[in-house]
Amino acid sequence: MKLFQIALFFACVSVTFAGKKLFMNKMKGDIVELEEKFASVLNDTTGSIEELESAIEGIVASLSEMQTAQAQKDIDLAWQALHMAGAAACRGSAANGGKGEWSNSVIPKENGKKCDDQCQLTDRPYCRAEVAVSGYPGRATDYTQSVGYFYNYECDGGWNVDVNHNEVAAEDGDILTADSTYYRFCCCARS
């Protein structure tokens, strides 16, 4: 019986060692599998980070393009507002208010030239007035606040030859400067 107990003991120990060996082999396999999965996650994450960085660079570039486009729109709208002010000033300066069968036009005044001469170069050859207008940026906050200035001139003078008052000679962004620059216009009519 003792021999049987010893044999049983050795059998149990062998099964335990065999089971432990199987367990260890399985654990080693699991560890290898986990290492492979971890490496795969690292590779996927690296790819994802690179893709994310690329996407962020694309977004930043798009935002930069949008800012540039918006800045140009701001400049274009400022010039348009000035042109509309010039048209309103011409309308108010014309003897009959610009009445007639044809539309009248507003053209930028060239330094040292007479509006009489400049209008004759267009399809509206008769000068009705020369005007200079200036306006401040921003909304008025008081009913006595000056928001702009104007001058009316005759058509036959080369008035105010300051190059800073010449729209064609100005830089595109000059319209956005805060100083009060006058821009001059010739008011031309067809008849």
Side-chain angles (χ1 to χ4, degrees):
M1 174 101 161
K2 230 171 186 184
L3 194 55
F4 176 74
Q5 287 177 341
I6 292 174
L8 184 61
F9 173 75
F10 281 119
C12 286
V13 168
S14 294
V15 168
T16 302
F17 280 123
K20 193 172 186 180
K21 190 174 185 180
L22 280 172
F23 177 75
M24 291 299 280
N25 284 340
K26 184 176 181 327
M27 185 185 265
K28 283 181 185 176
D30 288 346
I31 290 171
V32 168
E33 184 181 344
L34 285 173
E35 286 174 342
E36 289 171 357
K37 286 182 179 179
F38 183 72
S40 173
V41 167
L42 282 178
N43 288 337
D44 286 348
T45 303
T46 302
S48 296
I49 288 173
E50 289 168 357
E51 290 170 6
L52 182 60
E53 287 173 346
S54 176
I56 289 171
E57 286 174 9
I59 291 168
V60 169
S62 293
L63 285 174
S64 179
E65 289 172 13
M66 290 170 59
Q67 288 172 329
T68 300
Q70 184 60 50
Q72 186 59 49
K73 284 180 183 179
D74 292 347
I75 289 169
D76 291 343
L77 286 172
W79 283 114
Q80 181 184 19
L82 175 71
H83 298 152
M84 293 169 73
C90 283
R91 198 270 182 218
S93 297
N96 65 358
K99 212 183 227 184
E101 310 175 19
W102 304 97
S103 62
N104 301 297
S105 69
V106 178
I107 62 173
K109 169 86 167 51
E110 186 176 350
N111 284 344
K113 301 281 182 167
K114 295 178 182 180
C115 280
D116 272 339
D117 298 332
Q118 279 190 251
C119 288
Q120 287 177 14
L121 298 174
T122 73
D123 63 345
R124 287 160 176 81
Y126 300 103
C127 177
R128 295 298 177 233
E130 176 187 332
V131 297
V133 294
S134 176
Y136 292 105
R139 183 182 63 82
T141 57
D142 185 293
Y143 292 106
T144 61
Q145 178 182 349
S146 291
V147 294
Y149 296 99
F150 68 94
Y151 285 102
N152 293 344
Y153 301 107
E154 289 123 22
C155 292
D156 62 352
W159 311 101
N160 200 342
V161 294
D162 185 344
V163 71
N164 293 320
H165 298 197
N166 184 333
E167 175 181 346
V168 175
E171 295 294 323
D172 205 26
D174 286 353
I175 188 70
L176 298 179
T177 60
D179 58 350
S180 178
T181 298
Y182 285 90
Y183 287 101
R184 299 176 321 245
F185 298 98
C186 297
C187 311
C188 305
R190 194 167 260 195
S191 58

